[in-house]
Amino acid sequence: MNKAFLISGIVFTIIFILFAYWQLNDPDPILWVPVYLIPAYTALRAITGKVNSELMVVLFILSGVAGLQTWVEMTTWEGFITDGLSMKTMNQELAREAVGLWITTFSFATFYFLDKKYN
């Protein structure tokens, strides 16, 4: 087992399971919980060094484009946090969703390049 796969897999698994958990009280958890459980699953697979490079490319494109689409839906930049983590405006929610999608995009790229380097 490669140490890079192990460390990145553990870190991303924890991050995405937390993200999925936090989405349970979201107005649309049916969308966002799977969005974060899919990269959690790919991170779990990476812990054992089992990465499907083609799948990482597809997921990278899908999550990157979805993040961009979500980002451009904002009408103005209002930041991420005001008085706490609760949603204050739709623009803040869109910004958080876009960045969350880009974090998944980063994880898919990480696993793709680790797979190409070590396998």
Side-chain angles (χ1 to χ4, degrees):
M1 179 183 328
N2 185 291
K3 193 172 186 174
F5 278 117
L6 179 66
I7 292 169
S8 61
I10 290 171
V11 168
F12 281 123
T13 299
I14 292 168
I15 288 170
F16 294 131
I17 287 175
L18 284 172
F19 282 8
Y21 173 75
W22 289 328
Q23 294 303 315
L24 290 175
N25 68 350
D26 198 74
D28 50 356
I30 193 85
L31 169 67
W32 290 103
V33 170
V35 163
Y36 292 121
L37 288 181
I38 290 168
Y41 174 75
T42 63
L44 276 173
R45 299 280 296 167
I47 291 172
T48 61
K50 295 180 178 164
V51 174
N52 181 329
S53 292
E54 293 83 9
L55 178 61
M56 293 302 104
V57 170
V58 170
L59 292 174
F60 173 86
I61 293 168
L62 290 174
S63 61
V65 170
L68 181 61
Q69 174 62 38
T70 305
W71 186 267
V72 299
E73 288 177 16
M74 287 189 302
T75 56
T76 185
W77 172 252
E78 296 178 19
F80 293 105
I81 301 172
T82 52
D83 298 340
L85 292 178
S86 63
M87 185 181 86
K88 298 298 180 186
T89 69
M90 183 53 73
N91 287 325
Q92 289 173 330
E93 182 70 7
L94 290 169
R96 293 174 188 170
E97 289 172 352
V99 171
L101 287 166
W102 287 332
I103 293 170
T104 66
T105 304
F106 177 73
S107 76
F108 299 137
T110 299
F111 296 134
Y112 174 83
F113 287 117
L114 285 175
D115 186 55
K116 290 301 178 190
K117 182 175 181 178
Y118 294 110
N119 290 329

